[in-house]
Amino acid sequence: MAPRAAARKTGRNSESSDKVGVICRALRRAIIEQALEPGARLPEDSLGERFGVSRTIARHALGQLAAEGLVELRRNRIAVVATPSWQEARDAFDIRIELERLVVRQLAGKLTKAQVADLNAHVDAEDRSRDGSDAVSIRLATEFHILLASMTNSPILLRYVSEVAYRCCLTLSLYSRPHSSECGITEHRAIIAALVQGDEARVMGLMHSHLDSVATRALVAPTPRRGRDLLDILAPYAEEDGSERVVKMAKVARGRA
Amino acid sequence: MAPRAAARKTGRNSESSDKVGVICRALRRAIIEQALEPGARLPEDSLGERFGVSRTIARHALGQLAAEGLVELRRNRIAVVATPSWQEARDAFDIRIELERLVVRQLAGKLTKAQVADLNAHVDAEDRSRDGSDAVSIRLATEFHILLASMTNSPILLRYVSEVAYRCCLTLSLYSRPHSSECGITEHRAIIAALVQGDEARVMGLMHSHLDSVATRALVAPTPRRGRDLLDILAPYAEEDGSERVVKMAKVARGRA
DNA sequence: GCGCGGCAAAGTGCATGCAATTGAGGCGCT
DNA sequence: AGCGCCTCAATTGCATGCACTTTGCCGCGC
């Protein structure tokens, strides 16, 4: 009733109930903070119950997350948090390096005062988080890069950088030593400075070496060494019945033998 | 029953009924062949009816395509084929250039005989398609790049190259002159040759200039000039109720000129 | 003691039904 | 005629129900 009168409210309303989005964001965050480890089971019912929605919605959210590579969906089986292979982790970092070079190239010398302030505030938050849990500082480090990407005003670039950064973040929980993280903060500050200064080549170099160092520091072992990895190694063998599979970007790469 | 015995069949079965995937592939293809123009409406019921599934499945497929940026999903409104802005088209090409440089860098000098044969066969097909419809040759040109990406054995790279290539393909139907396409074929052959020869720098340069020339040749006008563009231009203004919105790649474009 | 076969619980795959929202045309008012 | 309200068909948002698949478990035969 009074549809016309309510129409004004509708605008605000349209944002409010994005249930799928809420679940996606929550899960993404839980995954990158390692509250959900790779391999963790994500049954639709439990998800639905936890978030107060039906399986339909939970399922849809899992679909989105699977499209982003954070979740693995196997037919008739419980969805699990993705467990990227070491090779996939390397590939993700390679892609990320190129994408973020693009980001800083577009941004060099073009940041507004407000944006610089935002960036500095974020790095300050990173600094403060060094006392807290590792998980939070890893998340903040990742979000620094996403914040940067959001400043390009390129929705596409933002989306790809976000995705690949989350994936890289996920791999850290698999292949990195317990340590890490705090080291990147000074590099973040250097990147901001170089961006303000506006030297394209220099800032691209900085970003490149920053990510490269994170990658090589993080991805320590050519073969994963963690509790679950026997299962990981066996997975590709146990999976198939012999028939070839279309390039579904599923498991093609595993074979590094 | 006889679950153990039936297990053999299950393997074959698992491939057969991927209804969501079937719909996605069909729609993707229809979109890049311009059977579905940007702005075309995609109601869930019609889709479901056409493919013999329920709305639930059609909806899920639309969700996936929206995640890939081929479809725009607005709450409580009919889904439509995406209508990227000119700027988004440029951004997509920029990203694509970087990603495909990565592809050829990984592939240079590492192609097997079989792979080279596949590539040549594909380009032959492109050649033959010059008599046929523009749509098909555009699709084949795009698929050449995807074929290349699939040879890297990096599922992640393959996924991103595919997505961004499809998006670029989509923009061609909006911003390019009727002409085009056949020109790229000789460049494809040159790239294959350089890959076989194995000169990394050279093949990266070739790929770069190939894509760059496609982009600049294709994206002719800084402001789109096509039937529906008054609506396009007005869309961002008509959209909001004043509250800020994160760059959400929102666009409104209804057909019906 | 050990493995095989089957049963039951858990979980997914999908369709359908109902409420809510939107968009468009009709109707009256000015 | 022009303008705005109101109503209704079209369409989406979401939950629920049913069938099928998978998996763990228990008992049976060897």
Side-chain angles (χ1 to χ4, degrees), chain A:
Chain A
M1 43 226 44
R4 214 39 64 149
R8 207 162 320 152
K9 282 237 282 254
T10 308
R12 156 170 29 254
N13 187 3
S14 72
E15 201 69 25
S16 62
S17 78
D18 175 18
K19 314 206 186 194
V20 174
V22 169
I23 299 179
C24 280
R25 278 187 290 276
L27 286 183
R28 253 193 297 262
R29 187 163 159 169
I31 290 173
I32 69 175
E33 288 193 358
Q34 306 183 21
L36 289 171
E37 295 193 348
R41 297 153 62 99
L42 303 170
E44 296 172 358
D45 325 349
S46 327
L47 252 42
E49 193 180 352
R50 175 60 79 216
F51 289 98
V53 298
S54 80
R55 282 203 307 124
T56 309
I57 305 304
R59 181 187 188 71
H60 202 80
L62 286 173
Q64 298 295 307
L65 260 11
E68 296 172 22
L70 291 182
V71 158
E72 277 169 24
L73 234 38
R74 283 122 74 229
R75 191 175 174 83
N76 281 319
R77 274 188 202 64
I78 301 179
V80 296
V81 176
T83 310
S85 69
W86 190 84
Q87 184 57 49
E88 284 170 340
R90 270 273 20 141
D91 292 341
F93 264 106
D94 284 345
I95 294 172
R96 181 172 177 184
I97 287 173
E98 296 305 323
L99 291 179
E100 299 224 29
R101 279 164 52 92
L102 218 43
V103 169
V104 292
R105 194 177 80 191
Q106 277 190 39
L107 252 34
K110 300 207 179 63
L111 290 178
T112 67
K113 280 220 165 1
Q115 288 176 323
V116 175
D118 277 1
L119 289 169
N120 280 320
H122 188 98
V123 181
D124 291 344
E126 287 187 67
D127 243 331
R128 283 193 301 278
S129 82
R130 288 170 52 177
D131 304 327
S133 79
D134 254 24
V136 173
S137 45
I138 291 182
R139 176 169 63 80
L140 285 175
T142 298
E143 287 176 349
F144 171 80
H145 292 261
I146 293 175
L147 182 58
L148 225 40
S150 75
M151 293 177 178
T152 61
N153 273 331
S154 164
I156 308 186
L157 192 49
L158 171 58
R159 214 180 65 96
Y160 286 140
V161 168
S162 304
E163 270 189 33
V164 82
Y166 281 134
R167 288 173 87 132
C168 287
C169 201
L170 171 61
T171 65
L172 292 189
S173 57
L174 274 175
Y175 302 102
S176 90
R177 312 190 200 71
H179 87 302
S180 87
S181 85
E182 4 59 51
C183 16
I185 298 181
T186 62
E187 290 170 26
H188 284 183
R189 291 204 192 279
I191 287 170
I192 297 176
L195 279 174
V196 172
Q197 186 202 326
D199 181 346
E200 242 185 53
R202 184 174 138 71
V203 73
M204 282 172 77
L206 276 176
M207 179 59 89
H208 189 129
S209 57
H210 169 51
L211 288 174
D212 200 57
S213 83
V214 171
T216 56
R217 228 184 312 118
L219 304 180
V220 285
T223 57
R225 289 285 160 245
R226 276 173 76 90
R228 151 186 345 95
D229 63 326
L230 210 91
L231 281 170
D232 289 349
I233 291 168
L234 259 41
Y237 299 93
E239 163 106 358
E240 285 310 318
D241 66 343
S243 76
E244 49 72 61
R245 222 182 187 349
V246 179
V247 273
K248 229 298 188 177
M249 63 201 70
K251 312 278 173 192
V252 203
R254 257 44 154 158
R256 116 202 97 65

Side-chain angles (χ1 to χ4, degrees), chain B:
Chain B
M1 18 230 75
R4 218 43 67 144
R8 203 167 324 150
K9 279 241 282 252
T10 309
R12 157 171 31 255
N13 192 358
S14 75
E15 197 71 24
S16 62
S17 79
D18 174 19
K19 313 206 187 197
V20 174
V22 169
I23 299 179
C24 279
R25 278 187 291 275
L27 286 183
R28 254 193 297 264
R29 186 163 159 169
I31 290 173
I32 69 175
E33 289 194 355
Q34 306 183 23
L36 291 171
E37 294 193 349
R41 298 152 62 104
L42 303 169
E44 295 173 0
D45 325 349
S46 326
L47 252 42
E49 192 182 351
R50 175 60 77 214
F51 289 97
V53 299
S54 80
R55 282 201 309 122
T56 309
I57 304 305
R59 183 187 187 72
H60 202 80
L62 286 173
Q64 297 297 307
L65 291 172
E68 297 171 20
L70 291 183
V71 158
E72 280 169 24
L73 234 37
R74 286 118 75 227
R75 192 178 171 81
N76 280 320
R77 275 188 201 66
I78 300 179
V80 296
V81 175
T83 309
S85 69
W86 191 84
Q87 184 58 50
E88 284 169 339
R90 270 270 27 136
D91 292 341
F93 264 107
D94 284 345
I95 293 172
R96 181 173 176 183
I97 287 172
E98 296 305 321
L99 291 179
E100 299 224 29
R101 278 164 54 91
L102 217 44
V103 169
V104 291
R105 197 177 77 193
Q106 278 191 38
L107 252 35
K110 297 207 181 62
L111 289 179
T112 67
K113 280 222 166 356
Q115 288 176 323
V116 175
D118 277 1
L119 289 170
N120 279 321
H122 189 99
V123 180
D124 290 344
E126 287 188 68
D127 242 330
R128 282 192 301 278
S129 82
R130 289 169 53 177
D131 304 327
S133 80
D134 256 23
V136 173
S137 45
I138 291 182
R139 176 170 63 79
L140 285 175
T142 299
E143 286 177 349
F144 171 79
H145 292 263
I146 293 175
L147 181 58
L148 225 39
S150 76
M151 293 177 177
T152 61
N153 273 333
S154 164
I156 308 185
L157 192 49
L158 171 58
R159 215 181 65 99
Y160 286 141
V161 168
S162 305
E163 269 189 33
V164 83
Y166 281 135
R167 288 173 88 133
C168 288
C169 201
L170 172 62
T171 65
L172 293 189
S173 58
L174 274 174
Y175 302 103
S176 87
R177 310 191 201 73
H179 85 305
S180 86
S181 84
E182 2 62 48
C183 15
I185 298 182
T186 62
E187 289 170 29
H188 285 183
R189 292 206 191 277
I191 287 170
I192 297 177
L195 278 174
V196 171
Q197 186 200 328
D199 181 345
E200 242 185 54
R202 182 175 141 72
V203 74
M204 284 171 77
L206 276 177
M207 180 60 89
H208 190 126
S209 58
H210 169 51
L211 288 173
D212 201 59
S213 82
V214 171
T216 55
R217 230 184 310 118
L219 303 180
V220 286
T223 58
R225 289 282 162 246
R226 275 172 76 90
R228 142 185 356 93
D229 65 323
L230 210 93
L231 281 170
D232 288 348
I233 292 167
L234 259 42
Y237 300 93
E239 160 103 359
E240 286 312 317
D241 65 343
S243 75
E244 53 70 56
R245 222 188 193 326
V246 180
V247 272
K248 232 300 194 182
M249 53 198 88
K251 276 232 99 232
V252 187
R254 304 310 291 296
R256 264 352 324 100

